[in-house]
Amino acid sequence: MSLEQRVDILVVGAGFAGLAAVAKILAADPAADVTVIERASDVGGTWRDNTYPGCACDVPTSLYSFSFAPSPEWSHTFARQPELFAYLKSVVERLGLQRRIITDCELRSATWDSSISRWSVQTSKGATSARVLVAATGALSTPKIPDVPGIDAFSGTVFHSATWNHEHDLTGERVAVIGTGASAVQFVPEIVDRAQRLTVFQRTPAWVIPRLDRTIGRLERTLYKRIPAAHRAVRGIIYGYREAYVTVLADNPWMLPAVKVFAKANLKRQVKNPATRAALTPDYAPGCKRLLLSNDWLRTLDRPDVDLVTSGLTSVTENGVVDASGRNHEVDTIIFATGFTPTEPPVSHLLRGSDGRTLAERWGGSPQAHLGTTVAGFPNLFLMYGPNTNLGHSSIVYMLESQANYVVSALAEMKARSAVAVEVDESAQRQHNSWVDSALDGTVWNAGGCSSWYLDANGRNSTMWPTYTFRFRNKTREFDVSNYRIVPDTLESDSPESDHEVVSA
Ligand code: NAP
């Protein structure tokens, strides 16, 4: 499919975020002119890209799926990546979205043109002009590989967990894994039997609790198919108990020692070697970094064929990885499980607002948006999974649906007011972010005593939503037009010479 030279609403990205946006926009207005561009050759975002062994969702899937497209077919309470990828493709089919999606089309740049109140967009498939831009490019989509001295000289194989090299057979190899986050805990237990020896480089230990996963039997699936209300009730229960986590993580951190006791008992049960156990015991509050769910990660590290190195790597040699003590660990393959770049999203370098600066320049290392979605100086731009919308306790899909509701409400408001553009007031954005900052104060994500990817280059937490998700849902239910500058359509035509009159709502 080719890209038209002029589109109305352009959504960038066809993962959970982009699909939530396009589905909700079309549900509200089936005649809406929406185009989705996707840089890969298929939809699915993170669930298309992350194919490492053991890749699975760590939020119960009944909740980690669209409310408007429930599936009674999940085989496990925590679905595996192939099922999630298949689910997203099935949603596209079910909602007839294929004809809206242009694959292999990468965003190169988008610049706001105030003279015509439109976005001038460059892509790998040519240029287009869009009235509204929805950036749904994901926060955890660009793998981060540390710039380690000597890496180019390594003679073995190197890859990142998010771009797993399936062509490469790890059987009988000595493998180094760098990083011990949510990805590593899923794939390390899966590859340990294949490798001859595993060396895991742990910079900071993580709190780990069991994953209460179970298969969903045929009878239960039939029940969900026949009585969708039963499935909705299960989703509601999961939503409720997950929200209860906020009571501890954000509102009552004094309760965290109880989680510590539970996690320590889990560690003791799985790791017999006291030295390994000590190395795996974090010195910060549980939840400060993402609480990890696994039933086999800790016991894997207790195996005699697994070495746990309690430092990061300092360099790479031709045949190995050097730890902080200077020891070279000889390996055949290095797998980086070192995460992503959520506080420096690459898309922020591609979007240029009304003053000619990019979003990255405007942010200066600390992403800020109004309700995680709109940014002063960037009219008609909506960010999905924007600043301070990430969660440590529940499903991001719920947040994405809330943001999609907000976009839908904004589009309706623009239509009702014959507005060609809406731009959030700097003061409203500032006010929202001061509230976020003060709400985050004292939560485990800010005060838990760790350094995490939730904190940006300036030390600000520009990642986490600070409280219950229903509060985000309430705030994004209706487009708060009074916080916006409205540019009315005073033109007879789209004459580039004409200026728009700008009024406040
Ligand atoms: P991550 O949580 O950011 O973990 C990265 C790991 O690499 C950390 O252990 C970090 O150590 C380490 N690291 C980073 N730079 C390093 C360096 N230069 N030297 C040595 N170690 C280094 O990344 P991730 O495990 O890929 O997970 C990222 C996020 O993706 C998760 O938090 C989660 O939100 C999401 N995720 C979700 C699921 C799911 O099931 N829904 C599954 C996987 C991932 P430090 O802790 O010391 O920084």
Side-chain angles (χ1 to χ4, degrees):
M1 205 165 114
S2 62
L3 181 63
E4 301 282 329
Q5 285 179 359
R6 194 178 164 87
V7 297
D8 189 44
I9 302 163
L10 185 68
V11 178
V12 185
F16 257 115
L19 296 180
V22 66
K24 289 245 175 196
I25 291 169
L26 288 170
D29 177 7
D33 170 7
V34 201
T35 303
V36 183
I37 59 170
E38 165 56 55
R39 70 178 167 185
S41 51
D42 209 342
V43 302
T46 197
W47 297 108
R48 174 202 58 231
D49 292 343
N50 282 267
T51 58
Y52 58 77
C55 182
C57 184
D58 63 6
V59 175
T61 320
S62 293
L63 187 59
Y64 192 90
S65 47
F66 292 127
S67 63
F68 53 82
S71 167
E73 301 292 349
W74 301 115
S75 66
H76 290 78
T77 44
F78 291 85
R80 308 324 192 231
Q81 173 268 338
E83 256 184 285
L84 280 155
F85 182 30
Y87 166 76
L88 288 170
K89 290 203 278 193
S90 78
V91 169
V92 168
E93 214 173 289
R94 213 194 305 181
L95 302 181
L97 302 176
Q98 300 95 321
R99 64 192 180 83
R100 313 261 177 189
I101 301 172
I102 304 174
T103 50
D104 300 304
C105 183
E106 183 169 3
L107 177 75
R108 296 264 162 86
S109 69
T111 304
W112 177 252
D113 184 340
S114 309
S115 67
I116 53 170
S117 289
R118 293 183 74 86
W119 285 95
S120 283
V121 181
Q122 301 292 330
T123 78
S124 56
K125 284 196 167 169
T128 188
S129 160
R131 179 175 67 96
V132 169
L133 190 62
V134 180
T137 46
L140 304 171
S141 52
T142 304
K144 184 182 76 182
I145 292 195
D147 191 11
V148 197
I151 188 100
D152 293 335
F154 182 63
S155 59
T157 306
V158 180
F159 55 90
H160 188 279
S161 58
T163 51
W164 194 270
N165 183 349
H166 289 280
E167 308 291 301
H168 184 73
D169 187 2
L170 297 170
T171 309
E173 286 206 330
R174 296 160 303 170
V175 180
V177 174
I178 318 297
T180 54
S183 300
V185 302
Q186 293 187 337
F187 74 76
V188 165
E190 298 288 322
I191 63 169
V192 67
D193 285 331
R194 254 182 287 157
Q196 181 211 103
R197 187 150 207 96
L198 261 184
T199 307
V200 177
F201 283 75
Q202 168 190 271
R203 207 164 55 175
T204 320
W207 287 110
V208 184
I209 55 172
R211 180 170 75 169
L212 302 175
D213 186 33
R214 62 177 176 83
T215 51
I216 301 178
R218 229 186 34 213
L219 210 65
E220 189 175 344
R221 282 188 267 164
T222 307
L223 170 77
Y224 294 156
K225 218 177 289 177
R226 299 257 166 87
I227 312 173
H231 199 201
R232 277 200 300 277
V234 168
R235 184 182 162 100
I237 291 165
I238 296 169
Y239 176 77
Y241 85 72
R242 283 287 179 149
E243 284 306 285
Y245 285 22
V246 174
T247 312
V248 180
L249 297 171
D251 294 349
N252 296 288
W254 60 269
M255 290 164 80
L256 286 167
V259 182
K260 221 181 221 184
V261 169
F262 178 63
K264 274 191 173 170
N266 184 41
L267 177 62
K268 195 165 179 188
R269 212 173 31 250
Q270 296 199 27
V271 178
K272 300 297 167 218
N273 181 330
T276 309
R277 209 186 300 148
L280 288 168
T281 307
D283 61 0
Y284 56 84
C288 181
K289 282 172 183 287
R290 192 177 176 89
L291 206 54
L292 303 183
L293 305 188
S294 173
N295 301 330
D296 43 15
W297 160 253
L298 295 171
R299 73 163 54 95
T300 299
L301 297 177
D302 205 24
R303 286 172 53 140
D305 53 352
V306 176
D307 293 321
L308 178 65
V309 177
T310 53
S311 80
L313 70 174
T314 53
S315 63
V316 172
T317 60
E318 196 193 341
N319 65 356
V321 181
V322 180
D323 67 24
S325 73
R327 179 175 161 207
N328 183 35
H329 300 259
E330 286 189 16
V331 293
D332 306 299
T333 293
I334 305 172
I335 305 174
F336 284 96
T338 39
F340 303 87
T341 57
T343 55
E344 293 161 46
V347 74
S348 64
H349 295 278
L350 306 180
L351 307 179
R352 224 168 257 286
S354 44
D355 67 0
R357 284 190 298 164
T358 63
L359 201 49
E361 284 163 351
R362 193 175 173 96
W363 279 343
S366 275
Q368 293 204 5
H370 178 60
L371 298 173
T373 312
T374 53
V375 183
F378 291 76
N380 292 12
L381 170 69
F382 298 91
L383 303 174
M384 300 292 289
Y385 202 177
N388 296 104
T389 57
N390 189 56
L391 303 175
H393 70 286
S394 188
S395 168
I396 190 63
V397 180
Y398 181 90
M399 299 295 274
L400 296 173
E401 285 193 32
S402 306
Q403 290 190 285
N405 292 344
Y406 191 68
V407 174
V408 166
S409 177
L411 293 172
E413 198 66 46
M414 286 173 81
K415 197 169 182 177
R417 291 171 181 257
S418 300
V420 289
V422 289
E423 179 187 352
V424 70
D425 285 329
E426 186 89 55
S427 58
Q429 183 176 316
R430 207 174 311 117
Q431 205 176 353
H432 171 68
N433 283 283
S434 332
W435 172 77
V436 166
D437 289 345
S438 61
L440 278 169
D441 237 14
T443 65
V444 72
W445 306 299
N446 277 26
C450 74
S451 82
S452 73
W453 59 261
Y454 301 154
L455 308 176
D456 62 33
N458 303 321
R460 174 177 180 265
N461 187 331
S462 52
T463 314
M464 299 304 277
W465 174 247
T467 178
Y468 300 95
T469 60
F470 55 79
R471 293 189 68 185
F472 188 73
R473 177 63 56 99
N474 288 341
K475 280 175 185 278
T476 49
R477 199 176 297 281
E478 299 275 333
F479 185 62
D480 46 340
V481 69
S482 61
N483 286 324
Y484 283 77
R485 275 184 339 112
I486 304 291
V487 183
D489 188 1
T490 54
L491 303 177
E492 304 253 317
S493 69
D494 274 348
S495 158
E497 287 79 41
S498 310
D499 270 328
H500 294 296
E501 178 197 349
V502 178
V503 295
S504 268

